[in-house]
Amino acid sequence: MLDYAHLHALAVVISEGGFERASKILCISQPAVSQRIKQLEERVGQALVIRSTPVEATPTGKRLLRHYSQVQLLESELSVEMDADDPKLPTIVKIAVNADSLATWFLPALSEIFKRHQWLLELIVDDESYTHNLLKNGEAVGCVTTTKEPLAGCSSEYLGEMEYLCVATPEFIQQYFPINITPTSLERAPAVVFSTKDKLHEKYLKKYFKMKTGSWREHKIPSSESFLEAIIQGMGYGLVGHLQAEPLIERGILIEITPDKRKRVPLYWQHWNIKAKQTTIVYRSLAVTAKQSLCQS
Protein backbone atom coordinates (compact mmCIF):
# COMPACT_ATOMS: atom_id res chain seq x y z
CA MET A 1 0.00 0.00 0.00
CA LEU A 2 1.42 3.35 -1.03
CA ASP A 3 1.66 6.19 1.48
CA TYR A 4 -0.15 9.15 -0.07
CA ALA A 5 1.73 11.64 2.08
CA HIS A 6 4.87 10.35 0.39
CA LEU A 7 3.24 10.58 -3.04
CA HIS A 8 2.19 14.14 -2.26
CA ALA A 9 5.79 14.96 -1.35
CA LEU A 10 6.96 13.49 -4.67
CA ALA A 11 4.41 15.57 -6.58
CA VAL A 12 5.47 18.79 -4.84
CA VAL A 13 9.20 18.07 -5.32
CA ILE A 14 8.68 17.62 -9.08
CA SER A 15 6.29 20.55 -9.50
CA GLU A 16 8.59 22.89 -7.53
CA GLY A 17 11.75 21.55 -9.17
CA GLY A 18 13.64 20.78 -5.97
CA PHE A 19 13.63 19.65 -2.34
CA GLU A 20 14.22 23.05 -0.76
CA ARG A 21 11.25 24.72 -2.41
CA ALA A 22 9.12 21.64 -1.74
CA SER A 23 9.94 21.82 1.97
CA LYS A 24 8.52 25.37 2.11
CA ILE A 25 5.31 24.29 0.41
CA LEU A 26 4.93 21.23 2.65
CA CYS A 27 5.96 23.15 5.79
CA ILE A 28 8.47 20.49 6.80
CA SER A 29 12.27 20.41 6.80
CA GLN A 30 14.24 19.57 3.67
CA PRO A 31 15.66 16.37 5.29
CA ALA A 32 12.07 15.32 6.06
CA VAL A 33 11.12 15.74 2.40
CA SER A 34 14.16 13.71 1.35
CA GLN A 35 13.21 11.03 3.86
CA ARG A 36 9.69 10.73 2.41
CA ILE A 37 11.06 10.35 -1.10
CA LYS A 38 13.62 7.80 0.09
CA GLN A 39 10.96 5.74 1.86
CA LEU A 40 8.76 5.82 -1.24
CA GLU A 41 11.69 4.70 -3.40
CA GLU A 42 12.39 1.86 -0.97
CA ARG A 43 8.72 0.88 -1.10
CA VAL A 44 8.62 0.57 -4.90
CA GLY A 45 12.22 -0.60 -5.20
CA GLN A 46 13.22 1.97 -7.84
CA ALA A 47 14.56 5.50 -8.08
CA LEU A 48 11.76 8.04 -8.54
CA VAL A 49 13.63 11.32 -9.02
CA ILE A 50 16.63 12.43 -11.02
CA ARG A 51 18.48 14.79 -8.72
CA SER A 52 19.28 17.38 -11.37
CA THR A 53 18.49 21.09 -11.53
CA PRO A 54 15.54 21.21 -11.66
CA VAL A 55 14.67 17.81 -10.20
CA GLU A 56 12.93 15.51 -12.67
CA ALA A 57 10.85 12.36 -12.28
CA THR A 58 12.12 9.00 -13.54
CA PRO A 59 9.76 6.93 -15.76
CA THR A 60 8.57 5.09 -12.64
CA GLY A 61 8.18 8.40 -10.82
CA LYS A 62 6.02 9.70 -13.68
CA ARG A 63 3.77 6.64 -13.45
CA LEU A 64 3.30 7.22 -9.73
CA LEU A 65 2.56 10.91 -10.32
CA ARG A 66 -0.07 9.98 -12.87
CA HIS A 67 -1.68 7.57 -10.39
CA TYR A 68 -1.61 10.23 -7.67
CA SER A 69 -3.20 12.83 -9.97
CA GLN A 70 -5.99 10.41 -10.85
CA VAL A 71 -6.66 9.68 -7.18
CA GLN A 72 -6.72 13.42 -6.42
CA LEU A 73 -9.30 13.99 -9.16
CA LEU A 74 -11.57 11.22 -7.89
CA GLU A 75 -11.19 12.31 -4.26
CA SER A 76 -12.01 15.89 -5.22
CA GLU A 77 -15.18 14.70 -6.94
CA LEU A 78 -16.14 12.60 -3.91
CA SER A 79 -15.54 15.52 -1.54
CA VAL A 80 -17.83 17.76 -3.58
CA GLU A 81 -20.57 15.11 -3.56
CA MET A 82 -20.26 14.63 0.21
CA ASP A 83 -20.17 18.32 1.07
CA ALA A 84 -21.13 20.51 -1.84
CA ASP A 85 -21.08 23.65 0.30
CA ASP A 86 -17.46 23.30 1.48
CA PRO A 87 -15.45 26.06 -0.25
CA LYS A 88 -12.18 24.65 1.07
CA LEU A 89 -12.24 21.72 -1.33
CA PRO A 90 -12.03 23.13 -4.87
CA THR A 91 -11.86 20.77 -7.83
CA ILE A 92 -8.77 21.53 -9.93
CA VAL A 93 -8.84 20.25 -13.51
CA LYS A 94 -5.46 20.24 -15.26
CA ILE A 95 -5.58 20.31 -19.06
CA ALA A 96 -2.85 20.54 -21.69
CA VAL A 97 -3.72 22.55 -24.79
CA ASN A 98 -2.00 24.05 -27.80
CA ALA A 99 -1.68 27.82 -28.09
CA ASP A 100 -3.82 28.20 -31.23
CA SER A 101 -6.77 26.43 -29.63
CA LEU A 102 -6.35 28.45 -26.45
CA ALA A 103 -6.35 31.70 -28.42
CA THR A 104 -9.59 30.87 -30.26
CA TRP A 105 -12.22 28.23 -29.45
CA PHE A 106 -10.99 26.47 -26.29
CA LEU A 107 -11.92 28.84 -23.43
CA PRO A 108 -15.38 29.69 -24.84
CA ALA A 109 -16.02 25.94 -24.85
CA LEU A 110 -15.24 25.54 -21.15
CA SER A 111 -15.99 28.84 -19.45
CA GLU A 112 -19.65 28.11 -18.62
CA ILE A 113 -19.10 24.65 -17.12
CA PHE A 114 -16.21 25.85 -14.95
CA LYS A 115 -18.34 28.72 -13.66
CA ARG A 116 -21.36 26.47 -13.09
CA HIS A 117 -19.46 23.75 -11.22
CA GLN A 118 -17.04 26.21 -9.55
CA TRP A 119 -14.07 24.17 -10.72
CA LEU A 120 -10.60 25.65 -11.06
CA LEU A 121 -8.80 25.32 -14.39
CA GLU A 122 -5.05 24.80 -14.58
CA LEU A 123 -3.78 25.03 -18.16
CA ILE A 124 -0.47 23.79 -19.49
CA VAL A 125 0.26 25.26 -22.92
CA ASP A 126 2.46 23.33 -25.33
CA ASP A 127 2.67 22.43 -29.00
CA GLU A 128 -0.21 20.15 -30.05
CA SER A 129 2.32 17.46 -31.01
CA TYR A 130 3.66 17.35 -27.43
CA THR A 131 0.62 17.84 -25.19
CA HIS A 132 -0.03 14.08 -25.00
CA ASN A 133 3.29 13.70 -23.17
CA LEU A 134 1.87 15.82 -20.33
CA LEU A 135 -1.08 13.44 -20.12
CA LYS A 136 1.25 10.45 -20.17
CA ASN A 137 3.37 11.89 -17.37
CA GLY A 138 0.37 12.61 -15.16
CA GLU A 139 0.71 16.38 -15.42
CA ALA A 140 -2.74 16.73 -17.01
CA VAL A 141 -6.02 14.80 -16.86
CA GLY A 142 -6.74 15.53 -20.51
CA CYS A 143 -5.16 17.19 -23.52
CA VAL A 144 -5.90 18.59 -26.95
CA THR A 145 -3.43 16.79 -29.19
CA THR A 146 -2.71 15.74 -32.78
CA THR A 147 -2.05 12.19 -31.59
CA LYS A 148 -4.92 9.96 -32.70
CA GLU A 149 -3.89 6.69 -31.07
CA PRO A 150 -4.90 6.67 -27.40
CA LEU A 151 -2.16 6.38 -24.83
CA ALA A 152 -2.24 3.39 -22.49
CA GLY A 153 -5.12 3.83 -20.05
CA CYS A 154 -6.59 6.71 -22.05
CA SER A 155 -9.33 7.40 -24.60
CA SER A 156 -9.00 9.49 -27.75
CA GLU A 157 -11.94 11.47 -29.19
CA TYR A 158 -11.89 13.32 -32.53
CA LEU A 159 -12.63 17.06 -32.23
CA GLY A 160 -12.07 18.44 -35.71
CA GLU A 161 -9.37 20.09 -37.78
CA MET A 162 -7.68 23.46 -37.53
CA GLU A 163 -7.06 24.76 -41.05
CA TYR A 164 -3.95 26.91 -41.49
CA LEU A 165 -3.67 29.66 -44.10
CA CYS A 166 -0.38 31.14 -45.29
CA VAL A 167 -0.84 34.90 -44.88
CA ALA A 168 1.00 38.23 -44.89
CA THR A 169 0.23 41.94 -45.14
CA PRO A 170 -0.30 43.50 -48.58
CA GLU A 171 2.92 45.52 -48.12
CA PHE A 172 4.94 42.43 -47.24
CA ILE A 173 3.62 40.58 -50.30
CA GLN A 174 4.46 43.54 -52.53
CA GLN A 175 8.03 43.54 -51.18
CA TYR A 176 8.80 39.82 -51.21
CA PHE A 177 6.25 38.17 -53.51
CA PRO A 178 5.38 40.84 -56.13
CA ILE A 179 4.83 38.28 -58.92
CA ASN A 180 4.43 34.85 -57.31
CA ILE A 181 5.72 32.74 -54.48
CA THR A 182 8.67 30.46 -55.25
CA PRO A 183 11.37 28.63 -53.28
CA THR A 184 13.76 31.45 -54.19
CA SER A 185 11.45 34.17 -52.85
CA LEU A 186 10.75 32.07 -49.75
CA GLU A 187 14.47 31.91 -49.01
CA ARG A 188 14.57 35.72 -48.90
CA ALA A 189 11.31 36.41 -47.11
CA PRO A 190 11.39 36.15 -43.29
CA ALA A 191 8.85 33.73 -41.86
CA VAL A 192 7.18 33.87 -38.45
CA VAL A 193 7.08 30.54 -36.60
CA PHE A 194 5.74 29.73 -33.16
CA SER A 195 8.72 27.89 -31.65
CA THR A 196 11.39 25.30 -32.35
CA LYS A 197 8.87 22.60 -31.36
CA ASP A 198 6.36 23.74 -33.95
CA LYS A 199 7.10 21.87 -37.19
CA LEU A 200 4.01 23.07 -39.08
CA HIS A 201 5.84 25.69 -41.12
CA GLU A 202 8.66 23.30 -41.94
CA LYS A 203 6.23 20.61 -43.12
CA TYR A 204 4.37 23.18 -45.20
CA LEU A 205 7.47 24.37 -47.07
CA LYS A 206 8.76 20.84 -47.59
CA LYS A 207 5.42 19.53 -48.89
CA TYR A 208 4.47 22.35 -51.25
CA PHE A 209 7.85 23.85 -52.21
CA LYS A 210 10.31 20.96 -51.66
CA MET A 211 12.54 23.17 -49.52
CA LYS A 212 15.27 21.86 -47.25
CA THR A 213 15.36 22.49 -43.51
CA GLY A 214 17.26 25.68 -42.70
CA SER A 215 16.99 27.18 -46.18
CA TRP A 216 14.64 29.94 -45.03
CA ARG A 217 14.82 32.78 -42.49
CA GLU A 218 12.44 32.88 -39.53
CA HIS A 219 11.38 34.80 -36.44
CA LYS A 220 10.54 32.55 -33.47
CA ILE A 221 7.72 34.00 -31.37
CA PRO A 222 6.26 31.53 -28.80
CA SER A 223 3.03 33.42 -28.11
CA SER A 224 -0.10 32.97 -30.20
CA GLU A 225 -1.16 36.62 -29.86
CA SER A 226 2.35 38.03 -30.48
CA PHE A 227 2.91 35.56 -33.31
CA LEU A 228 -0.13 36.92 -35.11
CA GLU A 229 0.77 40.51 -34.24
CA ALA A 230 4.23 40.06 -35.78
CA ILE A 231 2.60 39.04 -39.07
CA ILE A 232 0.14 41.95 -38.90
CA GLN A 233 3.08 44.32 -38.29
CA GLY A 234 4.72 43.06 -41.47
CA MET A 235 7.67 41.31 -39.84
CA GLY A 236 7.07 38.17 -41.86
CA TYR A 237 4.59 35.76 -43.35
CA GLY A 238 3.21 32.75 -41.51
CA LEU A 239 0.64 30.00 -41.14
CA VAL A 240 -2.35 31.20 -39.13
CA GLY A 241 -5.36 29.15 -38.04
CA HIS A 242 -8.55 29.88 -39.98
CA LEU A 243 -10.38 31.18 -36.91
CA GLN A 244 -7.86 34.01 -36.57
CA ALA A 245 -6.93 34.48 -40.23
CA GLU A 246 -10.33 34.71 -41.95
CA PRO A 247 -11.64 37.83 -40.13
CA LEU A 248 -8.36 39.65 -40.87
CA ILE A 249 -8.49 38.63 -44.53
CA GLU A 250 -12.08 39.90 -44.80
CA ARG A 251 -10.94 43.28 -43.43
CA GLY A 252 -8.00 43.47 -45.85
CA ILE A 253 -5.40 43.47 -43.09
CA LEU A 254 -3.91 40.19 -44.32
CA ILE A 255 -3.89 38.42 -47.67
CA GLU A 256 -3.74 34.67 -48.19
CA ILE A 257 -0.60 34.02 -50.19
CA THR A 258 -1.34 30.45 -51.30
CA PRO A 259 -5.11 29.83 -51.20
CA ASP A 260 -4.64 26.54 -53.04
CA LYS A 261 -2.16 25.30 -50.42
CA ARG A 262 -3.88 25.16 -47.06
CA LYS A 263 -2.84 22.74 -44.34
CA ARG A 264 -5.24 20.99 -41.98
CA VAL A 265 -4.23 19.66 -38.57
CA PRO A 266 -6.58 17.16 -36.87
CA LEU A 267 -7.15 17.63 -33.15
CA TYR A 268 -8.17 15.01 -30.60
CA TRP A 269 -9.21 15.06 -26.96
CA GLN A 270 -7.34 12.43 -24.96
CA HIS A 271 -8.17 11.76 -21.31
CA TRP A 272 -7.68 9.16 -18.61
CA ASN A 273 -9.99 6.16 -18.50
CA ILE A 274 -11.30 6.85 -15.02
CA LYS A 275 -14.89 7.41 -13.96
CA ALA A 276 -14.58 11.11 -13.21
CA LYS A 277 -17.42 13.35 -14.30
CA GLN A 278 -15.01 16.23 -14.91
CA THR A 279 -13.39 14.63 -17.96
CA THR A 280 -16.77 13.56 -19.34
CA ILE A 281 -18.32 17.01 -18.96
CA VAL A 282 -15.21 18.71 -20.36
CA TYR A 283 -15.24 16.48 -23.44
CA ARG A 284 -18.93 17.11 -24.12
CA SER A 285 -18.40 20.87 -23.96
CA LEU A 286 -15.30 20.72 -26.13
CA ALA A 287 -17.06 18.53 -28.70
CA VAL A 288 -20.00 20.93 -29.06
CA THR A 289 -17.81 24.00 -29.61
CA ALA A 290 -15.31 22.12 -31.79
CA LYS A 291 -18.10 21.01 -34.10
CA GLN A 292 -19.07 24.65 -34.59
CA SER A 293 -15.56 26.13 -34.79
CA LEU A 294 -13.25 23.53 -36.31
CA CYS A 295 -13.38 21.98 -39.78
CA GLN A 296 -15.03 18.58 -39.78
CA SER A 297 -13.63 15.94 -42.13
Side-chain angles (χ1 to χ4, degrees):
M1 189 70 178
L2 295 172
D3 187 317
Y4 283 88
H6 293 171
L7 283 173
H8 179 54
L10 175 64
V12 175
V13 166
I14 298 303
S15 65
E16 294 299 319
F19 290 82
E20 183 178 352
R21 293 182 64 179
S23 69
K24 296 177 181 178
I25 299 295
L26 296 170
C27 298
I28 59 177
S29 67
Q30 186 173 333
V33 177
S34 299
Q35 183 65 20
R36 290 186 183 184
I37 301 301
K38 181 180 178 181
Q39 289 174 347
L40 187 58
E41 289 177 326
E42 290 173 350
R43 175 69 181 82
V44 300
Q46 294 187 51
L48 301 177
V49 299
I50 301 171
R51 288 164 171 77
S52 56
T53 304
V55 170
E56 296 180 4
T58 65
T60 301
K62 290 176 181 178
R63 286 194 289 271
L64 286 180
L65 288 172
R66 177 176 173 178
H67 167 74
Y68 180 63
S69 296
Q70 292 174 342
V71 171
Q72 279 188 307
L73 186 64
L74 293 172
E75 286 187 347
S76 175
E77 181 176 323
L78 178 61
S79 296
V80 171
E81 291 176 354
M82 293 177 65
D83 191 353
D85 296 324
D86 189 350
K88 297 179 181 178
L89 300 170
T91 296
I92 300 174
V93 183
K94 298 180 181 180
I95 299 175
V97 64
N98 61 307
D100 288 342
S101 291
L102 180 59
T104 51
W105 65 275
F106 184 81
L107 284 180
L110 298 184
S111 58
E112 286 304 317
I113 65 167
F114 274 80
K115 288 188 291 185
R116 185 186 316 130
H117 294 281
Q118 296 186 338
W119 297 339
L120 299 179
L121 176 62
E122 184 173 331
L123 285 180
I124 308 170
V125 183
D126 206 338
D127 184 81
E128 60 267 24
S129 301
Y130 291 84
T131 49
H132 65 284
N133 291 319
L134 299 167
L135 178 65
K136 181 179 179 181
N137 295 342
E139 297 175 57
V141 302
C143 67
V144 176
T145 177
T146 55
T147 302
K148 179 181 180 179
E149 293 302 317
L151 300 171
C154 297
S155 295
S156 179
E157 316 285 353
Y158 175 74
L159 292 171
E161 297 178 338
M162 183 76 80
E163 187 169 52
Y164 287 87
L165 289 60
C166 187
V167 296
T169 62
E171 295 78 12
F172 186 91
I173 293 172
Q174 182 61 38
Q175 180 177 357
Y176 290 99
F177 311 123
I179 301 175
N180 54 23
I181 183 169
T182 65
T184 301
S185 62
L186 287 168
E187 287 178 358
R188 287 194 318 111
V192 181
V193 302
F194 186 76
S195 70
T196 53
K197 282 185 177 181
D198 184 9
K199 301 300 181 184
L200 181 66
H201 196 97
E202 179 178 341
K203 292 177 181 178
Y204 170 81
L205 292 182
K206 285 184 175 180
K207 177 179 180 180
Y208 292 116
F209 296 96
K210 311 301 180 186
M211 296 182 70
K212 296 181 179 179
T213 301
S215 62
W216 59 88
R217 304 160 58 203
E218 59 187 29
H219 303 287
K220 295 183 179 68
I221 303 181
S223 161
S224 185
E225 292 79 7
S226 298
F227 166 89
L228 181 57
E229 184 62 24
I231 296 174
I232 293 173
Q233 293 297 325
M235 292 178 64
Y237 73 99
L239 293 167
V240 177
H242 67 280
L243 295 174
Q244 291 178 302
E246 288 173 352
L248 294 170
I249 292 173
E250 291 176 2
R251 293 163 56 192
I253 296 173
L254 296 177
I255 294 176
E256 187 173 5
I257 302 172
T258 54
D260 58 332
K261 296 180 176 64
R262 294 184 173 185
K263 189 166 182 60
R264 285 193 173 188
V265 176
L267 297 176
Y268 301 86
W269 167 249
Q270 288 213 28
H271 60 93
W272 295 334
N273 283 333
I274 58 174
K275 294 182 179 180
K277 71 176 183 181
Q278 290 92 341
T279 54
T280 301
I281 294 174
V282 165
Y283 167 61
R284 288 174 182 170
S285 298
L286 289 177
V288 169
T289 304
K291 189 173 182 179
Q292 299 169 345
S293 302
L294 300 178
C295 302
Q296 302 297 316
S297 58

